[in-house]
Amino acid sequence: MKIKKLFTDFRIILWLIVIVMAIVAINPKFSNRGIVITSINASSPLNDVLVPGDEIYKINDDLASTSLLERRYSGEVRLKTSKGVLFYQLNNSTLGITGVQAERSNLHFGLDIRGGIRAIIEPENATEEMVQSIITTMQTRINVYGLKESLFRPIWSEGKAYIQIEIAGGTKEELMKLLEHQGKFEAYIPLKIKDGKIEFNNKKIDVSVDINKTFEADGITFRRVNDSYVEALVYTGKDIQMVYLDPQHSWFRPTENGYSWGFQVLISNDGAERFKKITMNIPVRTGIGTEKYLEEPIKLYLDGKLTEKLSIGAGLKGQLYTTPAITGGAKTKNEGMEEKRRLQSILRSGSLPTKIKVVQMDEISPRLGARFLSSAMFAGLAAILTVSLIVFIRYRKPRMVIPMILVSLSEVVIILGASVLIGWTIDLAAIAGVVAAVGTGVDSQIMILDESIMGKKQEWSLKERLKRAFFMIFGAAGTTIGAMFPLLVLGFGMLRGFAITTMIGVLTGVLITRPAFGRIVEYLLE
């Protein structure tokens, strides 16, 4: 009956409910799911068969791992993948792919554990407001591209602004392609010069400027490119109000020579009005078959570099056109998908307010983080067992040791579950916070045991001795939270993760696990 009374106590019930909720939040997966592909080289034999996001379960008869991806193979290689079993012949070469270990839980691990890229960029003549604008723009670019595990941190040194970017699971090539473009988008339509004039919007305008000079007419900016043509600025990045990503407005198709892709964008009314004026007097030509187009294309420029020429359908002549399509092509599927995602991310994020320079870029191997994580788990378990052994030697009560181990392990589970619920990333600092929280938890449990067992020599009841222990525990918890609060508010880099996990651990202890442990001790000593 006593054991039934123990499990009907609200402190024990709350403790067990929170443990179950934490396990559900973590959602551990005990089977090895293999490797998730993050990028594929153009020369890889897997190109056009697998794409980033596909999984490799086995390489030959071995479970797939990041170390096996770096190995050189000769002869036939058998891959068990999410798209079936594949066979390839290799001649002392790697598979030409990079990947990360498939997630085994809902825990979000940081760059130093999962592996990835760390870069430091220097904006040109940046102010504090400009730095925040750059961070917002780069976050949008990276998220649209698909590299969502990213962290941005502004750094000021000797009056200069720097931005540290960390991407878990990415590659140097992917990050460089997103960073090297300022993202200044412009679209021009050429107009032919006849007798020193251009014709648009049913008007004729004199062209008297030199080559490479600009002029304005009827609210439109023109630039003279040579003796025969000027180019009219029809769209800028500010005119792009939306970049469509859904299948109805975005496509990717195989062709005879490779792959074609495209996506539509929503243009502002001002941009549509410029398109109407500029195309009003452009002649129509006949294309392949019965299709008709305007004689002049629309040219797309990114950071001043021509990226695409698109034909304009004759039906759009002089029309308010708000949903033009950006199209392109590539020889391989991966190249096409990557280029499409890159353009979508840059157009959707907008242009950076200033030019940037990549000062440093490092690649962190996921093997180091995995090794550290395993070492930390073994070290933590060894510490708990060592403390339990010392407690057993001191009190000579084996039945007190087992609850101490269970409560300490439950604190780790609850802290990790809380990190999933609040969306916090587990990095080295966070692991240090978990260790610190469990350490304070063990201290508190020893206080409870010491007051409960050794306090018998004094004329106090068991409940009074537990009250004394909890008074000291709450005082120590308040001191710890007070010490961590400035780190949490001011956000001193990685110390913020340490502060958050430590505070979660301390609050978990004083509100959930310490009362439960106190009730268990009370039950065992009754």
Side-chain angles (χ1 to χ4, degrees):
M1 294 300 293
K2 286 185 177 181
I3 189 69
K4 183 177 180 181
K5 185 178 179 181
L6 175 66
F7 281 98
T8 55
D9 189 284
F10 80 95
R11 289 166 289 186
I12 302 298
I13 293 174
L14 176 62
W15 176 50
L16 295 175
I17 289 175
V18 172
I19 291 174
V20 172
M21 291 175 61
I23 294 174
V24 171
I26 295 171
N27 189 24
K29 304 175 182 68
F30 298 102
S31 60
N32 190 321
R33 292 176 52 208
I35 293 293
V36 178
I37 298 174
T38 56
S39 64
I40 303 178
N41 296 338
S43 59
S44 170
L46 301 177
N47 219 336
D48 288 340
V49 179
L50 299 177
V51 297
D54 288 339
E55 295 185 9
I56 300 177
Y57 306 122
K58 285 188 176 182
I59 301 177
N60 292 329
D61 293 325
D62 299 321
L63 291 175
S65 64
T66 53
S67 59
L68 290 181
L69 296 183
E70 299 170 2
R71 182 182 297 177
R72 291 183 174 274
Y73 296 90
S74 294
E76 185 179 78
V77 178
R78 184 176 68 258
L79 302 177
K80 185 179 180 182
T81 72
S82 54
K83 291 186 175 178
V85 179
L86 307 174
F87 295 88
Y88 293 96
Q89 288 289 335
L90 297 179
N91 183 18
N92 191 29
S93 62
T94 65
L95 295 173
I97 63 176
T98 59
V100 294
Q101 201 73 38
E103 301 291 350
R104 296 187 182 182
S105 67
N106 291 337
L107 294 173
H108 302 288
F109 290 105
L111 180 75
D112 36 16
I113 296 176
R114 185 180 174 186
I117 303 298
R118 178 184 289 120
I120 296 178
I121 62 174
E122 180 184 358
E124 191 176 277
N125 301 321
T127 62
E128 187 171 347
E129 183 180 355
M130 201 177 288
V131 168
Q132 293 302 320
S133 176
I134 292 172
I135 290 176
T136 301
T137 301
M138 294 307 302
Q139 282 177 329
T140 303
R141 280 190 191 181
I142 287 173
N143 288 341
V144 172
Y145 188 79
L147 301 174
K148 298 185 183 300
E149 295 291 332
S150 57
L151 177 66
F152 296 81
R153 185 179 296 123
I155 302 172
W156 293 88
S157 176
E158 298 179 355
K160 287 187 176 182
Y162 300 90
I163 300 174
Q164 179 174 296
I165 304 173
E166 296 181 353
I167 299 179
T171 65
K172 285 185 177 181
E173 292 76 16
E174 288 174 324
L175 183 57
M176 185 60 74
K177 286 179 181 179
L178 295 174
L179 293 179
E180 64 186 1
H181 293 292
Q182 184 178 351
K184 183 181 179 182
F185 172 76
E186 293 174 321
Y188 286 88
I189 296 178
L191 295 178
K192 187 174 290 186
I193 301 174
K194 294 181 180 179
D195 300 325
K197 299 178 184 293
I198 57 171
E199 188 174 1
F200 75 99
N201 198 25
N202 294 327
K203 299 177 183 178
K204 291 186 178 181
I205 304 295
D206 289 322
V207 179
S208 56
V209 300
D210 296 330
I211 295 175
N212 295 328
K213 297 295 184 180
T214 61
F215 65 96
E216 288 195 12
D218 203 10
I220 298 174
T221 300
F222 298 86
R223 65 181 182 188
R224 185 165 186 172
V225 293
N226 52 41
D227 292 332
S228 303
Y229 278 94
V230 300
E231 289 183 341
L233 179 62
V234 57
Y235 305 134
T236 67
K238 294 181 180 179
D239 292 311
I240 297 179
Q241 297 183 330
M242 181 182 294
V243 177
Y244 291 103
L245 306 177
D246 60 283
Q248 290 182 326
H249 303 87
S250 174
W251 60 91
F252 192 93
R253 307 185 185 104
T255 62
E256 292 183 1
N257 299 320
Y259 294 86
S260 66
W261 54 265
F263 57 90
Q264 288 183 300
V265 295
L266 180 63
I267 296 296
S268 67
N269 290 331
D270 290 341
E273 184 66 32
R274 288 194 295 272
F275 180 88
K276 175 184 176 181
K277 292 179 180 180
I278 294 169
T279 59
M280 184 77 72
N281 300 102
I282 298 178
V284 175
R285 63 177 174 84
T286 302
I288 299 175
T290 59
E291 295 180 356
K292 294 184 178 181
Y293 300 94
L294 300 189
E295 282 189 356
E296 306 299 342
I298 182 170
K299 296 181 177 181
L300 307 181
Y301 291 85
L302 190 62
D303 294 334
K305 182 180 178 181
L306 179 64
T307 59
E308 197 70 41
K309 285 184 182 180
L310 306 176
S311 297
I312 304 173
L316 300 177
K317 178 178 179 177
Q319 301 296 314
L320 288 171
Y321 189 40
T322 58
T323 55
I326 309 296
T327 62
K331 292 182 179 180
T332 67
K333 185 177 182 179
N334 286 319
E335 287 178 356
M337 292 184 69
E338 183 178 329
E339 180 65 14
K340 178 187 173 186
R341 288 202 313 270
R342 186 180 67 82
L343 274 178
Q344 284 177 322
S345 64
I346 291 174
L347 293 179
R348 190 167 183 176
S349 65
S351 63
L352 297 173
T354 185
K355 293 181 179 179
I356 61 173
K357 179 174 69 174
V358 179
V359 178
Q360 181 180 336
M361 185 173 291
D362 302 310
E363 189 165 5
I364 300 174
S365 171
R367 286 185 292 173
L368 297 176
R371 199 177 303 149
F372 172 83
L373 192 60
S374 300
S375 300
M377 291 173 61
F378 283 118
L381 185 60
I384 292 175
L385 293 176
T386 302
V387 171
S388 301
L389 178 62
I390 294 173
V391 170
F392 170 72
I393 294 173
R394 174 173 171 77
Y395 300 113
R396 304 289 181 178
K397 292 184 180 291
R399 59 182 181 173
M400 295 296 182
V401 175
I402 295 176
M404 176 178 284
I405 296 175
L406 293 177
V407 169
S408 297
L409 293 176
S410 72
E411 286 186 8
V412 176
V413 173
I414 293 171
I415 293 171
L416 295 179
S419 74
V420 173
L421 294 177
I422 66 175
W424 191 254
T425 299
I426 303 297
D427 54 14
L428 297 184
I431 291 176
V434 173
V435 173
V438 172
T440 59
V442 171
D443 287 344
S444 299
Q445 292 174 57
I446 291 176
M447 287 183 194
I448 293 173
L449 287 176
D450 212 52
E451 286 293 325
S452 301
I453 298 174
M454 308 305 289
K456 288 182 178 180
K457 299 176 183 179
Q458 302 178 13
E459 298 297 326
W460 289 324
S461 66
L462 178 59
K463 287 189 176 181
E464 288 175 334
R465 295 197 299 271
L466 286 174
K467 283 182 181 179
R468 275 172 50 87
F470 274 99
F471 177 79
M472 291 183 283
I473 290 169
F474 277 96
T479 303
T480 303
I481 292 174
M484 293 296 107
F485 192 73
L487 299 181
L488 176 66
V489 174
L490 299 177
F492 292 142
M494 292 183 67
L495 293 180
R496 194 160 183 260
F498 174 78
I500 286 178
T501 49
T502 302
M503 291 175 69
I504 290 175
V506 171
L507 290 173
T508 297
V510 297
L511 298 177
I512 300 170
T513 58
R514 309 289 190 278
F517 182 72
R519 180 65 187 92
I520 293 172
V521 171
E522 189 178 354
Y523 163 77
L524 293 175
L525 293 178
E526 284 178 349

